[in-house]
Amino acid sequence: MLLKEAGRKGVEARRRLEQYFREGEMWGSAKPPIEKEVEGRRIRVRIEEVEAWRERRERKEHLVVRVRAVVEEKDRGVAVEKEARFFKSRDAIYGYVNIHTDAEGGREADYARTAAVLKALGVESWTRGERQIQLTGSTLEALMRLEPVCGALGTCR
């Protein structure tokens, strides 16, 4: 019925609705381990484990996504464990991942490894701060392919 109604409203409306259905069908379709080579830098990322849960804070509820991965560059692998925290503020979703100074190779190396993990998970854009990577709702949409994430939100098919 929705497709018929969208068809009456025009080709563009039907196309957008079909795209929305395809994205929803992909939710929960990916399960670790996931291996991917990140373009441009010849970095191989192996996502070994993903966990997700809701955490209630004093004023906000956060969705926490913990990723354990191995990032290999130049035949040398470094274990990475990162937590992305998402929260809703007004009508927008925001998130962040911390970048650590005490990580192997320092802050720049930690940023490069974190960026490689994000790219391997299908995240295309973020904003880099000095101590954090700021994420948006589009990041959460990319992570919805992972079964633990959509499971924590109760939206898996």
Side-chain angles (χ1 to χ4, degrees):
M1 284 184 357
L2 289 173
L3 288 172
K4 285 181 184 178
E5 183 65 28
R8 285 188 214 125
K9 294 189 182 229
V11 175
E12 182 61 24
R14 183 179 173 97
R15 186 191 64 74
R16 283 193 318 243
L17 184 61
E18 288 172 345
Q19 176 66 25
Y20 181 75
F21 286 154
R22 278 193 298 277
E23 289 171 3
E25 289 170 358
M26 291 182 352
W27 288 0
S29 64
K31 296 175 184 137
I34 301 167
E35 284 194 43
K36 191 166 186 180
E37 189 166 311
V38 179
E39 297 177 34
R41 298 199 49 205
R42 293 187 182 173
I43 298 175
R44 185 169 227 29
V45 178
R46 178 178 167 85
I47 308 294
E48 300 201 341
E49 186 178 358
V50 177
E51 298 174 283
W53 65 91
R54 289 179 175 188
E55 190 173 278
R56 186 82 184 147
R57 292 272 173 115
E58 290 177 21
R59 292 181 287 169
K60 293 180 182 171
E61 183 177 45
H62 285 185
L63 171 68
V64 182
V65 180
R66 179 181 293 151
V67 178
R68 289 185 187 93
V70 175
V71 179
E72 295 178 13
E73 185 175 29
K74 300 177 186 172
D75 298 326
R76 187 170 166 271
V78 177
V80 175
E81 183 173 324
K82 290 292 180 179
E83 278 187 3
R85 293 182 169 270
F86 295 91
F87 58 94
K88 191 172 185 178
S89 180
R90 297 193 181 150
D91 289 332
I93 296 174
Y94 300 99
Y96 62 90
V97 177
N98 290 324
I99 302 170
H100 301 285
T101 306
D102 59 350
E104 185 179 327
R107 185 173 281 147
E108 279 301 315
D110 193 37
Y111 171 77
R113 287 190 291 267
T114 304
V117 170
L118 289 171
K119 287 179 185 177
L121 291 171
V123 179
E124 295 178 12
S125 66
W126 57 82
T127 304
R128 180 181 179 177
E130 187 175 331
R131 294 189 171 112
Q132 289 182 337
I133 295 175
Q134 281 89 32
L135 307 169
T136 62
S138 65
T139 301
L140 187 55
E141 289 175 22
L143 296 179
M144 289 297 287
R145 300 183 310 110
L146 302 167
E147 182 184 38
V149 177
C150 72
L153 294 174
T155 57
C156 288
R157 291 200 175 237

